[in-house]
Amino acid sequence: MSAEPDPVHQRRSRRVLAGVLVALFAALLAYRVLHAGHLEETAVFYVGIPAVIAIMVALVARPKSALGTTMAVITIGLALSGPLLGEGIVCLVFAAPLFYLVGLFVGLGIDFARKRGPGAHLVLAPLLVALVSEGATGATSLPRENVVSATRPTGGADVAAALAVTPRFPRVASAFLRLGFPRPLVAEGAGLQVGATRRITFTPRRSLGVGAPLEPRSMTLRVKELGPGVVVFDVVADTTLARWLDLEEARFAWTRSDLTVSLRYRRTFDPAWYFGPIQRYGLGEAAGYLAETFARPGTSAAAGTSAARADMTSTS
């Protein structure tokens, strides 16, 4: 003879399910509001949404463990966000740890407050407000301008000649950049005279949205400075990294023994303590890839050598 369901257990299960649905709805509503206000790159978005999930779970579901239920709801929300909101896999990969970290912090705080009694949760409020407010105003923003560099030996390569011709990009070896970041496919343009341009086509963006078309991505660079052993490209158009950061300049400086590539960019995402190191590492890997590409022995050709010499002569 089977035992009858426990009414108390049934009520708790229904309450938890209702809390999960309310938390997901609140997170989706917060996303829509922040997206409409162009705040999807701020700490309000990446800290506020998981905090909203945790708070709604605690208020509506009242589970035995706010932390466990919060983590479960965040997992469900992240799994649904790609297809429903049209995000790409890279966005989810880098947003997930921050969502879980905030959920862990708030969930543990709520569970702690329940054990210590009413009012104990107020100790979390100042830190949570500080995390959410970062980048909301100029006073709360950390420095956004950054430069990363990478140096590689030339091995006898004619760097000027390699830079003067239309570039041909090898396979990306960096495990980090192969996570889903755009990879260069083909390029157009040649010459090192000031004003010469390069247009590089990258792999298209693949959204996780159901039926979403591929989005083409490209970057246009223009030579803005040329001197002995140095070429500086200005990024004049970019649909490749614009969703992640603002790449502003690429500087190539070389000697007989090595090539240094420096990328100047502006961080657009908050919080800085989380996205800052990720962006620096990613751009550092990109700078290393470029240095390896143009410092490879045999990358120059006769036409490239002639073009480089002509450009250098015209500026001397």
Side-chain angles (χ1 to χ4, degrees):
M1 184 174 181
S2 60
E4 294 184 0
D6 182 2
V8 176
H9 178 73
Q10 285 185 328
R11 287 197 298 271
R12 179 178 292 276
S13 298
R14 287 195 294 267
R15 193 165 58 228
V16 171
L17 177 59
V20 169
L21 295 176
V22 170
L24 289 175
F25 176 78
L28 178 61
L29 180 62
Y31 171 85
R32 294 298 185 186
V33 171
L34 294 174
H35 183 73
H38 304 288
L39 298 174
E40 62 269 26
E41 297 178 354
T42 66
V44 177
F45 184 94
Y46 289 99
V47 176
I49 288 183
V52 166
I53 290 176
I55 292 171
M56 295 307 297
V57 164
L59 291 177
V60 179
R62 289 182 291 174
K64 291 183 178 179
S65 170
L67 174 61
T69 306
T70 296
M71 291 301 182
V73 176
I74 288 176
T75 301
I76 297 171
L78 289 173
L80 294 175
S81 62
L84 291 179
L85 305 178
E87 296 297 337
I89 186 65
V90 174
C91 297
L92 295 183
V93 167
F94 290 115
L98 182 56
F99 270 54
Y100 283 121
L101 182 62
V102 175
L104 174 67
F105 167 75
V106 178
L108 286 174
I110 292 173
D111 287 336
F112 172 78
R114 283 177 173 172
K115 295 177 181 178
R116 298 298 296 269
H121 62 280
L122 294 178
V123 299
L124 300 175
L127 181 57
L128 188 59
V129 170
L131 291 174
V132 171
S133 62
E134 183 193 333
T137 65
T140 59
S141 294
L142 296 177
R144 297 186 178 276
E145 298 295 331
N146 295 273
V147 177
V148 296
S149 301
T151 301
R152 298 291 187 272
T154 61
D158 190 338
V159 176
L163 288 169
V165 298
T166 302
R168 298 177 62 182
F169 296 100
R171 176 180 176 273
V172 176
S174 169
F176 182 84
L177 297 180
R178 290 175 62 84
L179 285 175
F181 286 99
R183 297 190 299 275
L185 298 176
V186 295
E188 304 172 5
L192 291 182
Q193 71 277 11
V194 174
T197 61
R198 305 287 190 278
R199 186 179 187 275
I200 305 170
T201 300
F202 289 78
T203 50
R205 180 176 184 267
R206 296 178 181 272
S207 170
L208 295 178
V210 178
L214 297 179
E215 300 178 20
R217 294 184 289 195
S218 65
M219 182 183 299
T220 302
L221 303 96
R222 180 183 298 124
V223 177
K224 73 172 185 179
E225 180 183 337
L226 174 65
V230 62
V231 176
V232 181
F233 290 88
D234 193 22
V235 180
V236 296
D238 178 24
T239 59
T240 303
L241 299 174
R243 295 172 62 94
W244 196 48
L245 52 81
D246 288 337
L247 184 61
E248 299 174 338
E249 179 185 281
R251 184 178 188 272
F252 296 78
W254 64 93
T255 63
R256 290 185 177 182
S257 59
D258 56 50
L259 165 65
T260 298
V261 176
S262 301
L263 301 177
R264 182 165 58 84
Y265 68 98
R266 184 177 185 275
R267 177 181 56 81
T268 56
F269 278 73
D270 292 304
W273 56 265
Y274 180 78
F275 286 107
I278 293 177
Q279 291 184 348
R280 285 191 63 85
Y281 181 78
L283 265 293
E285 291 289 280
Y289 170 76
L290 291 173
E292 292 169 2
T293 297
F294 293 100
R296 290 179 301 158
T299 55
S300 62
T305 303
S306 300
R309 289 174 179 172
D311 290 333
M312 292 294 187
T313 302
S314 64
T315 59
S316 61

